[in-house]
């Protein structure tokens, strides 16, 4: 029974299904913050697109001997290579009809994000005999992750809420939501670069830990979370009061998890606990908001 549980758990984490659920949870956070019912087309698009992009990126970066990789995720993923290819293709096929169910503004956003996401891992550029993608450009990897996630889980839900429910969300609120989510997602992404520090050095990736060192990378995480917290305090009376305590608690928890994370931590710590904060944030908002309304 225990073996079956761990097999299912590995499948959930390493097939990127859990990451896709993180994207759905973050979209639900946005719907709650702007006071809108969920748009299920948006949730489906975010789930499938996250699943596709993450799997596609891993498939593109297949090492010569994945079975010898020091990362369990890589060994697991390529041991299930055919299944992962099938899941990736199915997710792409399901995305096509959903694309035509959203507004024109959302379609433009999705095309823009698709170009960024595919360009992130695809070797689109060349320098001499070496080919590389956007993530190989010094400092760009982290910005791309935070920027793409923030636009996906904030703008897409907002655009479709405005289109379907005709709910008014000011540009100021949209900008604040996007900025706060960018700081939050970027901070949560840095520990993964710290974990992959030695491997990234071998690959020539100029990530934050590679360029500035592990200690400074941890400090940057806390600085970004502090920036998010400052924005929450400065604009807590700007229409989103009910969720203030849930968001603050999430930032504190994220800061503690990042502080506790070290290179020697196993992959479950990162893929479940650290990434899981993205899902936990939504559940905290539901519980605390419901508690306030009783």
């Amino acid at each position: 029974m225990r073996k079956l549980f761990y097999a299912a758990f590995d499948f959930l984490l390493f097939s990127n299904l859990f990451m896709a659920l993180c994207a759905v949870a973050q979209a639900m956070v946005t719907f709650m913050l702007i006071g809108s019912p969920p748009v299920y087309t948006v949730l489906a698009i975010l789930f499938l697109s996250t699943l596709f992009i993450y799997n596609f990126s891993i498939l593109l970066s297949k090492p010569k001997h994945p079975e010898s990789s020091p990362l369990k995720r890589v060994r697991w993923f390529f041991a299930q290579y055919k299944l992962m290819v099938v899941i990736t293709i199915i997710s792409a096929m399901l995305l096509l009809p959903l694309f035509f169910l959203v507004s024109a503004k959302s379609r433009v956003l999705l095309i823009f994000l698709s170009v960024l996401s595919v360009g992130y891992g695809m070797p689109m550029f060349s320098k001499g005999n070496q080919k590389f993608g956007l993530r190989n450009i010094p400092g760009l990897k982290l910005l791309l992750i935070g920027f793409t996630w923030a636009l996906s889980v904030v703008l897409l839900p907002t655009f479709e809420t405005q289109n379907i429910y005709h709910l008014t969300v000011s540009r100021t609120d949209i900008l604040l939501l996007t900025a706060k989510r960018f700081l939050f997602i970027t901070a949560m992404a840095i520990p993964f670069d710290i974990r992959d520090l030695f491997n990234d050095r071998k690959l020539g990736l100029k990530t934050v830990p590679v360029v500035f060192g592990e200690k400074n990378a941890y400090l940057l995480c806390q600085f970004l979370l502090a920036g998010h917290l400052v924005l929450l305090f400065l604009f807590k009376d700007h229409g989103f009061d009910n969720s203030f305590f849930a968001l603050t608690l999430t930032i504190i928890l994220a800061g503690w998890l990042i502080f506790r994370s070290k290179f020697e931590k196993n992959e479950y710590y990162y893929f479940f606990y650290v990434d899981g904060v993205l899902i936990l944030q939504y559940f905290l908002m539901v519980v605390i908001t419901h508690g306030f309304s009783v």
Side-chain angles (χ1 to χ4, degrees):
M1 189 68 180
R2 187 177 179 181
K3 187 176 181 180
L4 182 63
F5 170 79
Y6 278 108
F9 193 55
D10 286 348
F11 181 79
L12 177 67
L13 294 184
F14 300 144
S15 68
N16 291 307
L17 286 171
F18 189 72
M19 184 56 66
L21 291 174
C22 290
V24 170
Q26 283 298 298
M28 289 298 295
V29 168
T30 298
F31 284 127
M32 289 189 69
L33 288 174
I34 63 179
S36 167
V39 179
Y40 294 104
T41 305
V42 168
L43 299 181
I45 288 174
L46 288 173
F47 179 86
L48 292 168
S49 59
T50 304
L51 188 61
F52 170 75
I53 291 298
Y54 273 73
N55 283 350
F56 184 66
S57 296
I58 296 174
L59 290 169
L60 280 178
S61 59
K62 181 181 180 181
K64 291 182 179 180
H65 302 286
E67 68 281 356
S68 302
S69 172
L71 301 176
K72 183 176 181 179
R73 180 197 191 192
V74 174
R75 297 195 304 271
W76 184 95
F77 190 93
F78 289 102
Q80 326 293 330
Y81 180 78
K82 291 182 179 179
L83 177 60
M84 292 300 100
V85 170
V86 169
I87 290 176
T88 305
I89 292 173
I90 290 175
S91 61
M93 291 174 64
L94 292 175
L95 274 171
L96 289 175
L98 291 173
F99 176 80
F100 296 100
L101 296 179
V102 295
S103 63
K105 188 186 292 188
S106 293
R107 288 180 208 166
V108 172
L109 175 64
L110 287 171
I111 292 171
F112 173 68
L113 292 174
S114 298
V115 172
L116 283 183
S117 299
V118 173
Y120 170 80
M122 184 173 285
M124 302 169 61
F125 312 102
S126 60
K127 185 178 181 180
N129 295 325
Q130 187 179 7
K131 293 185 177 181
F132 60 95
L134 292 174
R135 70 174 184 163
N136 297 90
I137 299 175
L140 195 57
K141 178 184 177 182
L142 196 62
L143 292 176
L144 278 176
I145 292 173
F147 186 66
T148 303
W149 268 80
L151 293 187
S152 300
V153 302
V154 174
L155 290 192
L156 188 59
T158 303
F159 287 168
E160 287 309 291
T161 290
Q162 292 173 327
N163 181 57
I164 296 173
Y165 300 115
H166 306 290
L167 189 67
T168 301
V169 184
S170 71
R171 290 184 179 180
T172 302
D173 285 342
I174 293 174
L175 181 61
L176 283 171
L177 277 173
T178 305
K180 286 185 284 188
R181 206 68 59 88
F182 173 81
L183 292 173
F184 182 58
I185 297 294
T186 304
M188 301 307 293
I190 292 176
F192 289 84
D193 282 344
I194 296 173
R195 184 206 61 190
D196 296 335
L197 178 61
F198 296 141
N199 191 50
D200 286 343
R201 279 176 177 162
K202 290 179 181 178
L203 295 174
L205 294 178
K206 301 297 183 180
T207 62
V208 168
V210 170
V211 176
F212 299 105
E214 183 177 344
K215 183 178 179 180
N216 289 329
Y218 278 120
L219 290 175
L220 179 59
C221 288
Q222 304 300 340
F223 177 77
L224 293 172
L225 290 176
H228 187 180
L229 196 59
V230 168
L231 288 179
L232 280 178
F233 272 98
L234 289 178
F235 299 99
K236 65 185 176 65
D237 296 321
H238 206 71
F240 304 139
D241 306 86
N242 292 340
S243 57
F244 173 76
F245 292 107
L247 295 174
T248 301
L249 185 58
T250 305
I251 293 172
I252 294 171
L253 176 60
W256 181 78
L257 285 170
I258 291 170
F259 178 77
R260 291 268 300 175
S261 67
K262 293 180 181 179
F263 181 80
E264 64 268 22
K265 290 281 188 181
N266 65 48
E267 291 173 74
Y268 294 109
Y269 184 87
Y270 292 89
F271 289 110
F272 183 67
Y273 289 110
V274 178
D275 277 343
V277 171
L278 301 178
I279 296 177
L280 181 62
Q281 185 179 60
Y282 167 65
F283 284 108
L284 283 174
M285 285 187 61
V286 171
V287 171
I288 294 178
T289 302
H290 178 73
F292 285 160
S293 62
V294 172

